[in-house]
Amino acid sequence: EAQVTQNPRYLITVTGKKLTVTCSQNMNHEYMSWYRQDPGLGLRQIYYSMNVEVTDKGDVPEGYKVSRKEKRNFPLILESPSPNQTSLYFCASSPKGSYNEQFFGPGTRLTVL
Amino acid sequence: LAKTTQPISMDSYEGQEVNITCSHNNIATNDYITWYQQFPSQGPRFIIQGYKTKVTNEVASLFIPADRKSSTLSLPRVSLSDTAVYYCLVGEGASGGSYIPTFGRGTSLIVHP
């Protein structure tokens, strides 16, 4: 089944404790991205990757890191999480030539205390 | 990417046709128009995409006038399960340079029995 998976789905952590949210897709897509969704603010892009080893900032990259060592994986790293990073996070992927048609993962709900 | 404007919310009843209009006055020549649907606590789901005139699939129709400064997503005979947030995006989505989609706040559609 074609899908985008994220882990964990739910995470409660404390300020300053490094964490990684994994994202994997099995559709051989070139484009992958991370979004956060907050009430009243809609979906905002954090980082994106056009292909392996090619990453760039989206609209709200502060406090986040990403890497794209393999085509299928695109982890989101929070080196020192803060309470303002409490949010619902989505990973997405789309194929080359049709970046508009993104497939989204199920989401990761993160709470930073 | 071109900015889009959509109504914040709409109400309808089961069995009715729903039309959601999106304004994108600054759409570029190579831009496509894409619509997504999002249920609470789930990732957005691609619905339909078009460039001009009319596009129809098993879920919806997309009407784009000749000047392409707006588009209308048409949902035929809605049911309660169509209650969701609908996002309109405008962008090229095919080049290899970069792709930073702007989802905005979308239109919250509520379908009543």
Side-chain angles (χ1 to χ4, degrees):
Chain A
E1 179 190 356
Q3 60 183 346
V4 177
T5 57
Q6 296 178 226
N7 282 293
R9 295 289 313 281
Y10 303 90
L11 178 60
I12 300 175
T13 188
V14 295
T15 299
K17 186 176 181 181
K18 180 180 179 180
L19 67 91
T20 299
V21 183
T22 64
C23 172
S24 183
Q25 51 95 4
N26 61 2
M27 296 168 280
N28 201 37
H29 286 167
E30 278 77 14
Y31 184 88
M32 297 187 74
S33 62
W34 276 102
Y35 299 85
R36 61 177 291 173
Q37 187 167 37
D38 303 289
L41 295 177
L43 276 158
R44 295 178 293 168
Q45 192 181 53
I46 303 170
Y47 268 95
Y48 67 96
S49 168
M50 301 297 290
N51 213 325
V52 176
E53 302 292 0
V54 181
T55 63
D56 209 343
K57 298 177 181 178
D59 293 322
V60 288
E62 293 75 24
Y64 305 93
K65 287 175 57 177
V66 293
S67 68
R68 186 92 182 274
K69 295 185 173 63
E70 306 165 282
K71 197 171 189 178
R72 63 182 294 131
N73 297 323
F74 191 45
L76 179 69
I77 303 157
L78 285 71
E79 295 271 3
S80 183
S82 62
N84 64 12
Q85 292 178 299
T86 291
S87 186
L88 179 58
Y89 291 87
F90 291 103
C91 179
S93 73
S94 53
K96 184 178 182 179
S98 188
Y99 298 123
N100 293 323
E101 190 174 343
Q102 294 186 73
F103 292 78
F104 280 78
T108 295
R109 188 167 293 281
L110 172 66
T111 301
V112 183
L113 302 174
Chain B
L1 292 176
K3 181 180 177 181
T4 61
T5 303
Q6 308 173 229
I8 292 176
S9 64
M10 294 182 68
D11 288 88
S12 184
Y13 292 89
E14 283 190 293
Q16 290 188 334
E17 178 184 74
V18 171
N19 296 309
I20 306 174
T21 297
C22 177
S23 297
H24 27 80
N25 291 318
N26 297 321
I27 189 169
T29 302
N30 294 332
D31 284 347
Y32 280 74
I33 300 152
T34 309
W35 285 81
Y36 284 83
Q37 174 193 57
Q38 186 181 26
F39 298 114
S41 297
Q42 294 186 26
R45 182 176 73 105
F46 172 89
I47 301 177
I48 197 167
Q49 177 176 267
Y51 183 80
K52 62 180 179 180
T53 63
K54 176 184 175 182
V55 179
T56 298
N57 61 22
E58 64 277 4
V59 176
S61 294
L62 178 59
F63 297 92
I64 305 168
D67 67 5
R68 302 197 334 117
K69 292 185 183 300
S70 68
S71 59
T72 299
L73 176 72
S74 181
L75 305 172
R77 299 178 298 281
V78 294
S79 64
L80 296 177
S81 63
D82 292 315
T83 294
V85 177
Y86 293 83
Y87 297 95
C88 165
L89 281 73
V90 173
E92 182 178 350
S95 69
S98 66
Y99 179 63
I100 306 178
T102 301
F103 275 80
R105 297 173 63 179
T107 297
S108 177
L109 171 65
I110 298 176
V111 179
H112 302 276

